[in-house]
Amino acid sequence: MRKFLHSTQFKIILAVLAVLLAGIITAAATYNNASPVSTVFGTIFEPLHHLTAKISEGISSFGGSFVSADTYRTENEELRQQIEAYQNELADYEEMKRQNEQYEQLLQVREQHPDQQYETAIVIGRDTSEPFGGFMINAGSSSGVSINDPVISGSYLVGIVTEVQPTYSKVRTILDPNIDISAYEIRTREEGIASGTSELAASGLCRLTGLTSTTAVSPGGVVYTSGVGGLFPRDLILGTVTEIRNSESDISSYAVIKPGVDIFSLQDVTVITEFDGQGSNAADSEE
C-alpha cells in the first residue's frame, strides 16, 4: 500500500482529481442554470472545442478552394473554345480573302484576253523530292483540263500540265529545265528561250537564254511569253530580270529571272484550257 502511494500512477490520479476539483470550484463560482458536472467538463474541454472548430473551418475553406478550381477550369475551357472558334473564323476569312484575290486577278486576265477559257484549281500535293517545284492540282479531264495546258497565277505563267487524270493533274513549273518557253524582254524586245537549271531552281529562279554577249537587257526588265510554238499564249509574265550572266558553254549571255510568284508556296492556280492559236504553230511545224 505504501509503495502504491509513492508510485507514479498514484501521483497522476491525484493530479487528475486536483484538476476536477478545481473545475468544480470554478463551476460553483460561475454557476448559471447548468449542472456543475457539465460546467466542469465544459470548462476543461473548451480549448479543445475551439481547436476542433478551427480545424473544421479550415476543411470547409479547403473544400471551397476545390470548387473554385473547378469553376476556373470550366471558364478556361469555355475561353479556349471561344478562341478556337475565332481562329476558325479567321482562317475562313483568310481563305475567302485569298479566293477573292484570285478571282479578281482572273477577272482582269479575262478582260484582257476574252479568247481564253479558264479552270481554277487548288494545289493539293507536292513531291518534296522534286527540286523544281512541281505540284498536283484538283482539276483533271472531267474539268476540261488537258496535257500541255498552261498554268498561271494571276497574270504570271507558273507551268504547264504534263499528266491528266479525271479528277487531278500534274504540273511542271517554269523552273524545270525540261520546259522551253519562247519569251522576250519587254523594253528591248530581245527574244530568247526561258527555262530552268538545278542551280537556279534551288533559289526559285529561272533564266532567259540565247541573248547576245552585247545584250541590252538589264536588271529590272520584265520577261513575257512570245506565243511562238503554240504552247503558251502571248504576253503572260514570266518574271523580272535580276542580273545578266555570261554563258559557260558559248559566247552568249543569259538573264536570270525571278518569277512573279513564289513557285514553291502556290496554293491556288488557274489552268488556261483554251486560247487563240493554241497548238497552231506546233501543227504548222509538223506539216
Side-chain angles (χ1 to χ4, degrees):
M1 183 65 178
R2 180 176 298 180
K3 188 177 181 180
F4 173 73
L5 294 176
H6 290 85
S7 65
T8 302
Q9 291 86 346
F10 181 71
K11 292 178 181 179
I12 293 173
I13 293 172
L14 286 178
V16 172
L17 290 175
V19 171
L20 291 174
L21 181 59
I24 292 171
I25 294 171
T26 303
T30 58
Y31 179 72
N32 55 354
N33 294 330
S35 68
V37 176
S38 64
T39 304
V40 170
F41 280 99
T43 302
I44 294 174
F45 293 105
E46 182 68 21
L48 182 60
H49 172 72
H50 284 294
L51 178 61
T52 55
K54 291 294 184 182
I55 294 174
S56 178
E57 291 177 2
I59 293 174
S60 298
S61 176
F62 191 59
S65 65
F66 273 110
V67 173
S68 298
D70 289 339
T71 301
Y72 290 142
R73 280 194 291 270
T74 301
E75 292 178 352
N76 287 339
E77 178 62 20
E78 291 176 352
L79 289 174
R80 188 193 66 78
Q81 292 177 358
Q82 290 179 2
I83 292 173
E84 183 177 349
Y86 292 147
Q87 289 174 337
N88 290 335
E89 290 178 2
L90 180 60
D92 292 341
Y93 168 76
E94 292 296 336
E95 177 67 16
M96 291 177 60
K97 180 180 177 182
R98 183 168 56 83
Q99 290 181 354
N100 286 337
E101 290 175 352
Q102 180 191 12
Y103 293 147
E104 288 177 1
Q105 293 173 354
L106 180 59
L107 180 60
Q108 293 176 359
V109 173
R110 189 185 294 275
E111 290 175 349
Q112 296 171 0
H113 304 282
D115 60 297
Q116 298 177 3
Q117 299 296 319
Y118 307 96
E119 181 64 34
T120 59
I122 297 174
V123 176
I124 58 174
R126 292 181 181 274
D127 183 356
T128 56
S129 64
E130 205 268 19
F132 307 113
F135 53 87
M136 186 181 301
I137 59 176
N138 68 339
S141 57
S142 61
S143 300
V145 176
S146 303
I147 292 177
N148 290 336
D149 281 349
V151 180
I152 62 175
S153 176
S155 299
Y156 297 99
L157 177 66
V158 298
I160 189 170
V161 175
T162 57
E163 181 181 332
V164 177
Q165 298 296 331
T167 58
Y168 70 90
S169 302
K170 292 184 178 180
V171 178
R172 184 173 291 171
T173 75
I174 60 175
L175 306 183
D176 197 311
N178 294 310
I179 292 183
D180 292 331
I181 307 166
S182 297
Y184 70 99
E185 195 274 321
I186 189 67
R187 291 186 299 195
T188 63
R189 297 288 170 172
E190 289 190 47
E191 297 184 353
I193 301 297
S195 62
T197 68
S198 297
E199 177 189 0
L200 292 174
S203 300
L205 305 172
C206 58
R207 64 180 183 173
L208 179 66
T209 62
L211 304 178
T212 65
S213 58
T214 58
T215 179
V217 175
S218 60
V222 181
V223 179
Y224 287 77
T225 57
S226 66
V228 177
L231 283 179
F232 305 96
R234 183 178 175 83
D235 290 339
L236 294 175
I237 306 174
L238 285 167
T240 304
V241 176
T242 60
E243 62 176 307
I244 303 298
R245 297 181 184 178
N246 294 323
S247 173
E248 299 85 358
S249 58
D250 53 39
I251 61 173
S252 66
S253 298
Y254 65 88
V256 177
I257 303 172
K258 181 179 181 180
V261 293
D262 184 355
I263 299 295
F264 294 99
S265 64
L266 286 170
Q267 297 181 3
D268 303 284
V269 294
T270 301
V271 181
I272 303 177
T273 56
E274 292 183 25
F275 61 92
D276 284 351
Q278 185 176 21
S280 58
N281 290 14
D284 292 343
S285 62
E286 289 177 0
E287 293 177 358

